[in-house]
Amino acid sequence: MVIRRRRTASAIGATAVGAAVLLAGLATGVNGGDDAASSPPSPATAAHRQAASEPPAPAPATPSKPAAPTAPPGASGAVAPMGAFLGSGPEALRRMTEFQQWLGGPTLRVGHTYLPGDLWSNIEGRPEFLRPWTEWRRADPARLLVLNVPMLERNEAGVPDHEVRALLRRGADGAFDRHFRTLARRLVRLGAPDTVIVLGWEMNGVTYTGRCAPDPPAWRAYWRRVVTAMRAVPGQRLRFDFAPSRGEDAIGWTACYPGDDVVDILGMDSYDQPPGEDFADYVNQPYGLRHQVEFAAAHGKPISYPEWGLFRNGDNPAFVRGMLEWMAAHPPVYQTITDYCPHGVWECGRSPRSTEAFRRELAAAATPGTARAATPTVTPSASSTDRPTAAPGQDGGPGPGPGGR
């Protein structure tokens, strides 16, 4: 969820029916916690601490069955529980309430945070970090807790490919199993055994140490190893979300897919940036939004959008409407907009037209019979007034990672 990566995305209009279907889901929900945990530290600069190899983790007698989504992907009227990434620490829970009040009606049912990827001790999920989120989750059975989990420490430290390759192979051999078992045990103990784990997100890119391209077979084997280790923990009901970034990036994400038995949700992170000139490109490009939906359907998986938001194209309301329309037509298990600069629509303040489009679409959909301005159902042409305007200071450089804003 860091900006330092090759992303994708751009614009389209959304139908009134589309946003109404999406908003129907905002009144429903899924998981949450509360306490005073500090924001995650920045990526470590200390030397890599190697973990000793362990014997293979026993596979559960039967693979955990993912909880059924409220409706199959793409089903008319399916709900789409919504969240916003507003920070990694407990301050995000206060911001969620404020964001919800600003929206004027829709309830945020998804709490989304990221484990720091600097050290294994943080990837294991320190109880003081997890507790606020798990308490939020337990306060309402309609809530969903989504937790991004790095696959390797030094996750944003620019580790070279040859070292990544060696680490992936060690992981596939079980060297790091105990860290993931510790995390699963902590989630169970803290009362959030049904957390959605976004494991090794954006694995098709170049940013993270837990990336796939240096050795796809080892990456797939390592993912399987992690899921097996976590599913072996008594009491867990975890769901595992395979979430590449949209587009090909460093490698086509289908080459990284580890198997239907170890994936519960097929996610995608989608930002308004190249490759692609407009939202139609984002939909139809290789490894784009349509590819995700069709691949998920072929494998019997629901979909998700753990991260989406503005980026390279500045203040672009057509992209915002396009994403809302797409998710209304293809309802995900959950969706979470990223809301720090330059991606956001609430606190950032750089993209007033997109902010208005986001708020108007959701507020109107929440009020049956509310008259709304017509929105195009096709990709805007080059002359459209909804073409992007660059936001001041949006230079596309590195932004805050999970520990920053």
Side-chain angles (χ1 to χ4, degrees):
M1 84 131 302
V2 193
I3 299 178
R4 291 173 308 171
R5 58 179 169 199
R6 304 189 317 184
R7 296 183 186 262
T8 35
S10 203
I12 192 181
T15 63
V17 173
V21 173
L22 174 65
L23 244 290
L26 301 185
T28 347
V30 256
N31 299 12
D34 171 288
D35 197 46
S38 58
S39 293
S42 55
T45 54
H48 175 63
R49 301 188 299 105
Q50 293 191 332
S53 295
E54 293 185 328
T62 335
S64 344
K65 197 154 178 90
T70 310
S76 177
V79 300
M82 176 184 176
F85 177 72
L86 301 168
S88 293
E91 77 287 348
L93 301 173
R94 171 183 54 79
R95 291 186 184 125
M96 284 174 66
T97 301
E98 295 171 359
F99 185 93
Q100 185 172 295
Q101 290 169 345
W102 169 79
L103 272 182
T107 300
L108 297 186
R109 300 292 188 187
V110 181
H112 188 183
T113 190
Y114 295 70
L115 289 177
D118 53 348
L119 301 171
W120 281 118
S121 58
N122 286 319
I123 296 173
E124 290 174 349
R126 291 175 289 116
E128 64 270 24
F129 176 84
L130 292 174
R131 191 171 292 112
W133 294 95
T134 57
E135 289 180 358
W136 175 88
R137 160 65 188 95
R138 295 199 315 273
D140 185 342
R143 290 172 174 171
L144 175 68
L145 178 59
V146 176
L147 182 64
N148 278 50
V149 176
M151 292 178 76
L152 291 165
E153 66 177 353
R154 297 188 299 154
N155 194 43
E156 297 174 40
V159 177
D161 281 355
H162 72 273
E163 190 173 348
V164 167
R165 191 175 300 112
L167 289 168
L168 292 175
R169 292 174 181 178
R170 290 189 65 220
D173 288 339
F176 311 126
D177 287 6
R178 63 189 176 94
H179 303 297
F180 296 99
R181 285 200 295 267
T182 296
L183 172 59
R185 284 194 296 267
R186 286 174 172 170
L187 288 170
V188 171
R189 270 200 307 270
L190 290 167
D194 53 355
T195 297
V196 172
I197 303 293
V198 187
L199 179 65
W201 68 101
E202 299 181 11
M203 76 298 294
N204 57 325
V206 297
T207 298
Y208 301 114
T209 303
R211 60 190 182 269
C212 172
D215 194 334
W219 193 93
R220 295 192 302 266
Y222 183 27
W223 170 290
R224 297 183 63 83
R225 185 84 195 197
V226 172
V227 172
T228 298
M230 295 185 77
R231 283 181 174 172
V233 170
Q236 66 78 33
R237 302 193 307 279
L238 303 169
R239 286 184 286 174
F240 292 87
D241 191 339
F242 173 86
S245 55
R246 178 178 50 77
E248 183 173 13
D249 215 325
I251 186 173
W253 50 261
T254 55
C256 308
Y257 187 69
D260 291 346
D261 57 327
V262 289
V263 171
D264 299 313
I265 302 168
L266 203 297
M268 180 164 284
D269 292 353
S270 182
Y271 289 87
D272 185 22
Q273 68 167 3
E277 296 298 323
D278 55 30
F279 198 82
D281 287 346
Y282 300 168
V283 169
N284 295 313
Q285 66 191 199
Y287 308 105
L289 294 170
R290 189 180 306 283
H291 196 164
Q292 174 212 15
V293 167
E294 292 176 350
F295 186 92
H299 291 260
K301 304 297 176 185
I303 61 171
S304 73
Y305 296 98
E307 295 183 32
W308 70 278
L310 302 166
F311 195 24
R312 302 286 185 189
N313 291 325
D315 187 2
N316 188 3
F319 170 76
V320 170
R321 290 198 301 268
M323 282 300 296
L324 293 177
E325 180 183 44
W326 180 260
M327 290 185 287
H330 307 279
V333 174
Y334 70 92
Q335 60 101 341
T336 314
I337 189 167
T338 299
D339 200 73
Y340 60 75
C341 284
H343 310 305
V345 294
W346 177 49
E347 285 193 292
C348 182
R350 291 184 184 176
S351 304
R353 296 191 306 146
S354 299
T355 294
E356 176 57 25
F358 181 83
R359 193 177 182 192
R360 184 179 63 243
E361 293 296 317
L362 296 183
T367 310
T370 300
R372 306 189 313 161
T375 53
T377 56
V378 295
T379 303
S381 67
S383 61
S384 169
T385 57
D386 277 344
R387 294 299 291 175
T389 17
Q394 237 167 277
D395 57 5
R405 288 180 48 70

